[in-house]
Amino acid sequence: MELECKVQNYEWGKIGLDSTVAKLISNANPSLTINPEKPYAELWMGTHPNSPSLIIDRGVLLSEYLEDNHDAIGPEVKRKFGVTIPFLLKVLSIRKALSIQAHPAKDHAEQLHKSFPQMYKDPNHKPELAIALTPFEALCGFRPLSKIQDFLKNLPELTEILHKDNVNAFLAIEEANLGQRELKQIFNSLMTCDKDVIKTSLNKLLMRLGSEGAELKSFLLYPLIERLHADFPGDVGCWSPYFMNYLILHPGQAIFLKPNLPHAYLSGDCVECMACSDNVVRAGLTPKHIDVATLIEMLDYNSYTTQEMLFTPHLEDQNSCIWKPPVPDFAVVKIKVDSGDYNTIVRPSPSIIIIISGKGKVCDTEPIEVRPGVVVFLKASRQLTITPAIGCHIEAYQAICNV
C-alpha cells in the first residue's frame, strides 16, 4: 500500500530543490510545487501522531488501518509493542547544524517524563540510526583523550575560560582507559561557563586563527568552527568539535546513536530510523530549550575513535544488507536490484519502504509503479517483489522491527 507522508519544514533544512527531501517528494508527486525559498528538512514515514502517514488508495491513516488489521503488525511485534509501528523512518536534509544533544535510556526517559512531562513528552527511549545519502557531517561521541589534550594545549582561548584545576587534572591523564571523571568535570566547566565569556573567547579564537597558516587552521578545525559560529554566534556548542569526534560519512556509511551518546548532525542528507519518541536533551547549537544539568549527568564519557563510531551492516543476500542495532524497535535494510525480479526477505514485522533511486514496480498483491520518493507499507510476514524497469535499477531502504 502506497503512503502519503508528511514533510517538516524546520529552519535548519536545505532550501528548495537543494534538499533531497524536496527532490523525493516532487518525484513521487509531480503535481507538487516546491517553494525555492522554503526549507525542506525532514520526511516522516510511520504512525507518529505528530505527522502520521496516510494510505493513499484507502484515504485512511496507517495507524487507523492497523487498529482494524492486527495481522498487518504480526503477533511478535504486537506482543512486544502493541498495535503500533514502534519506529519512525525519516529522510533528513540538513543545511545547518542541529543541536548538541543526547537521548536518554528507557528507564531515564520514564523518570524524565514523570518529573517534567511538559519538556519530555513521552516515556520512551530514542536510539537512532543515520545512513548517509550524500557526504554527511556529524559530531559523535567524545574523542580519544589524547586528541582532546592536543587541542587544549593549542587553544589558550579555551583553557583560560575553564576551571584551572579541571584543565590541569585533564592534561595530567596518561592512561587511555582512565579520565572519564576528568572529562566530565572539564566538559561541565565549559557547558556552564558564562555566556558572555564564551562569546568573547570564541571571537578571540576566530580572530587569531583567521591570520594563521593553512596547516594550523586545518588542525584546529577553523573552517568548521567559523561555520558553526556564523550560524550560532557566541554559542557554547561552537567549542564542542574539540571534544567530540568530527565525522564526514560517505554515502552508505552509518552511525548508531545509542542512549547517552553526545552527538550533533551538521550537514548533508541521510536516511534515519529511530524509536518513536521525542525525547531529546539539548545543550548547545539550538534556539530550543536546553537542559545542561541533565545532559552533563547522563552523558557517556567513554572515548571513541572515529572508526568506532561507524556502524557496519552485514549482507543478507546479493541484493540486501541490514543494519541491526542492539534494540528491538528497529533495523534498516538497504535493497539494490539491478535487473530481474527480487523477492524481499519475509519478516515477522511490518515494513515501511522508501524508493531512493531508480524506477520500476513493486508487487505484493497489486503492482505499484515506483520512482524516487514513493513510500510503501508492507504487512508483516509478506513478501514484496521488486522489478526494475528495463535498463534501470531500484534502490530502496526498508525499516522493520528488530524482533
Side-chain angles (χ1 to χ4, degrees), residues 163-382:
H163 293 308
K164 186 175 180 180
D165 290 345
N166 294 156
V167 174
N168 291 337
F170 188 82
L171 292 177
I173 298 168
E174 294 182 0
E175 296 293 332
N177 60 343
L178 301 177
Q180 292 184 37
R181 181 172 62 89
E182 289 84 356
L183 178 55
K184 179 179 180 180
Q185 290 173 338
I186 200 168
F187 195 65
N188 181 57
S189 179
L190 171 66
M191 300 306 291
T192 56
C193 189
D194 179 82
K195 290 182 179 181
D196 289 335
V197 172
I198 292 290
K199 182 178 179 180
T200 300
S201 67
L202 285 167
N203 287 332
K204 287 173 63 177
L205 173 71
L206 292 170
M207 186 174 297
R208 173 170 70 92
L209 293 186
S211 59
E212 294 286 359
E215 186 175 349
L216 185 60
K217 281 184 177 179
S218 177
F219 170 64
L220 292 180
L221 307 176
Y222 175 70
L224 174 59
I225 306 302
E226 184 181 41
R227 178 155 47 99
L228 292 177
H229 191 264
D231 289 334
F232 300 94
D235 192 292
V236 65
C238 296
W239 284 114
S240 56
Y242 299 120
F243 293 87
M244 295 164 63
N245 285 297
Y246 172 50
L247 305 176
I248 303 178
L249 302 183
H250 303 298
Q253 290 185 312
I255 50 177
F256 173 62
L257 306 170
K258 62 183 180 179
N260 304 325
L261 190 72
H263 64 276
Y265 296 159
L266 303 181
S267 74
D269 305 88
C270 74
V271 170
E272 183 184 60
C273 197
M274 64 183 66
C276 264
S277 172
D278 293 319
N279 282 325
V280 180
V281 184
R282 302 178 180 88
L285 302 181
T286 180
K288 295 182 179 180
H289 177 82
I290 64 173
D291 189 351
V292 173
T294 298
L295 189 82
I296 292 298
E297 286 306 312
M298 68 185 274
L299 285 183
D300 174 358
Y301 288 99
N302 287 298
S303 294
Y304 300 93
T305 64
T306 53
Q307 196 63 33
E308 288 174 319
M309 288 290 88
L310 297 179
F311 192 69
T312 306
H314 68 260
L315 291 175
E316 294 189 295
D317 59 33
Q318 64 180 2
N319 294 99
S320 70
C321 64
I322 186 168
W323 288 268
K324 292 189 72 171
V327 295
D329 308 71
F330 64 87
V332 177
V333 183
K334 180 181 178 181
I335 301 170
K336 177 76 179 295
V337 186
D338 291 317
S339 62
D341 292 342
Y342 172 68
N343 295 317
T344 62
I345 295 170
V346 176
R347 317 278 182 181
S349 156
S351 300
I352 293 179
I353 303 166
I354 181 169
I355 309 301
I356 293 296
S357 65
K359 63 180 180 178
K361 64 180 180 180
V362 299
C363 183
D364 172 16
T365 54
E366 297 292 331
I368 297 174
E369 296 292 327
V370 296
R371 55 196 175 276
V374 169
V375 181
V376 297
F377 171 77
L378 183 66
K379 294 181 180 181
S381 301
R382 300 287 277 270

